[in-house]
Amino acid sequence: MFQLTHLEELEAESIYVMREVAAQFERPVLLFSGGKDSIVLVHIARKAFWPAKFPFPLLHIDTGHNFDEAIQFRDELVYNLSAKLIVGYVQESIDTGKAIEEEGFNASRNVLQTITLLDTIEEFKFDTAIGGGRRDEEKSRAKERFFSHRDEFGQWDPKNQRPELWNVFNGRKRMGEHFRVFPISNWTEMDVWQYILKESIALPSIYFTHEREVFNRDGVWLAFAPFMRLKENEKIEVKQIRCRTVGDITCTGLTLSTANTVEEIIQEIAATRITERGGRYDDKRSDAAMEDRKKEGYF
């Protein structure tokens, strides 16, 4: 009897969720950060609806403090897909007074993305936003369903999520409400990398080892950028690093690494004892940092 492999089962589940989104919602959008998880989502969406045109517009919330490599990759991908790209700019939220720029050494625009995201969803009347969140990433994300209901304020209530028995998804909502949908919820970081290897999926160069100016803050290596302030005891060094996750430069922890291929990255992940988000500086603000942001409407 024919039996699917582990990765084939995960892919089939994600394709099923994607098709449920297309069936149940009128104005879906795919959240795209330029990171590996959102790139895998794009790949799965292409397979789910092939040979039809790519089915969802892409939405990127631009903090203005992005890695140049991620933005370049985003633009090339959109061009090759002939997809529609919508960009929400955090700087516009700041300029209009909807968001207040943080100050100090630990200032970051990562939290401010929530305001820009909710405003963009409202502006374009999206009724669902597909994201690359996975339950293995962080304890608050482990509470997510595939279909994550958000109220009219865009907020998430982990105690008021709908059951998903036998993968039956309830996408009913009231006026003004929307959903976040996470098709790769059951994937692990290792699954993602093995799938990237299997499918030969292209990635931004920052995922592979390269030289970069960095500094160490509270045990986390961060990329140096002109808008970042250094403390007296911090110094800029040049290190061989790579990104394990990709986000705002101010909070994306970097990994000291010599991995130049996907195979080497897989070996590195298998040997590490640090979680994928263990190097995210924004998660260190409090034990409940991610859950607090999610309740307010974060990814």
Side-chain angles (χ1 to χ4, degrees):
M1 185 178 70
F2 177 75
Q3 186 172 359
L4 296 177
T5 66
H6 174 62
L7 289 179
E8 289 171 338
E9 287 182 350
L10 288 173
E11 180 190 66
E13 179 181 64
S14 300
I15 286 175
Y16 171 72
V17 174
M18 290 274 193
R19 290 172 177 170
E20 281 292 299
V21 169
Q24 295 196 38
F25 299 101
E26 295 180 1
R27 295 183 63 83
V29 68
L30 194 151
L31 300 175
F32 188 81
S33 66
K36 67 183 186 309
D37 296 325
S38 59
I39 292 169
V40 165
L41 281 183
V42 168
H43 183 82
I44 291 171
R46 291 183 68 189
K47 296 185 77 169
F49 299 97
W50 181 266
K53 184 181 177 182
F54 189 78
F56 312 117
L58 302 182
L59 171 57
H60 179 218
I61 302 303
D62 188 342
T63 66
H65 295 166
N66 302 289
F67 289 95
D68 291 338
E69 297 93 332
I71 298 299
Q72 180 181 347
F73 184 92
R74 178 201 71 184
D75 294 341
E76 291 174 354
L77 181 68
V78 169
Y79 176 80
N80 292 332
L81 285 176
S82 298
K84 179 180 180 181
L85 173 66
I86 298 166
V87 182
Y89 294 97
V90 171
Q91 186 63 53
E92 289 185 6
S93 299
I94 295 171
D95 293 342
T96 56
K98 293 183 178 181
I100 300 175
E101 183 93 73
E102 292 185 353
E103 298 180 352
F105 292 106
N106 296 318
S108 174
R109 291 185 173 183
N110 199 51
V111 176
L112 305 186
Q113 292 181 84
T114 300
I115 298 168
T116 310
L117 172 63
L118 293 176
D119 283 349
T120 308
I121 288 174
E122 173 63 25
E123 178 185 353
F124 288 91
K125 306 300 180 186
F126 294 126
D127 54 6
T128 185
I130 304 167
R134 307 188 326 266
R135 295 191 183 108
D136 77 316
E137 286 183 278
E138 198 271 341
K139 56 188 176 184
S140 68
R141 285 186 167 168
K143 301 177 183 180
E144 286 281 15
R145 305 288 199 272
F146 281 105
F147 276 35
S148 179
H149 175 261
R150 305 297 170 111
D151 65 19
E152 62 270 26
F153 301 106
Q155 296 178 331
W156 174 67
D157 180 2
K159 296 181 180 179
N160 191 31
Q161 296 298 306
R162 298 166 184 182
E164 293 179 342
L165 303 176
W166 306 289
N167 278 355
V168 176
F169 304 126
N170 181 357
R172 292 186 179 182
K173 57 182 177 54
R174 298 184 181 93
M175 180 90 56
E177 298 176 343
H178 72 276
F179 278 79
R180 308 287 171 83
V181 175
F182 303 102
I184 60 172
S185 288
N186 287 335
W187 297 48
T188 66
E189 181 188 15
M190 181 64 80
D191 293 329
V192 170
W193 280 107
Q194 289 178 336
Y195 186 76
I196 288 169
L197 176 63
K198 172 179 174 289
E199 299 287 308
S200 300
I201 299 174
L203 294 173
S205 60
I206 50 176
Y207 275 107
F208 303 95
T209 297
H210 60 286
E211 274 193 356
R212 189 176 290 268
E213 290 188 337
V214 298
F215 65 96
N216 194 287
R217 175 169 293 170
D218 300 328
V220 177
W221 289 103
L222 296 171
F224 175 74
F227 48 78
M228 299 178 73
R229 293 177 56 191
L230 297 182
K231 300 177 183 179
E232 289 186 1
N233 64 331
E234 295 171 344
K235 63 178 182 178
I236 299 173
E237 305 176 54
V238 176
K239 294 284 187 180
Q240 292 279 340
I241 59 90
R242 71 174 188 87
C243 290
R244 198 168 165 189
T245 65
V246 173
D248 189 273
I249 287 178
T250 58
C251 60
T252 299
L254 306 173
T255 299
L256 300 178
S257 173
T258 59
N260 285 308
T261 66
V262 174
E263 290 91 341
E264 290 174 350
I265 290 173
I266 290 173
Q267 292 176 4
E268 187 176 86
I269 293 170
T272 188
R273 300 184 66 180
I274 301 173
T275 63
E276 183 178 7
R277 292 190 67 92
R280 285 294 292 253
Y281 197 77
D282 53 332
D283 288 350
K284 298 181 182 296
R285 295 192 175 201
S286 76
D287 289 340
M290 172 63 82
E291 181 154 342
D292 291 341
R293 294 201 301 273
K294 284 175 62 60
K295 287 180 178 178
E296 294 170 359
Y298 188 70
F299 306 111

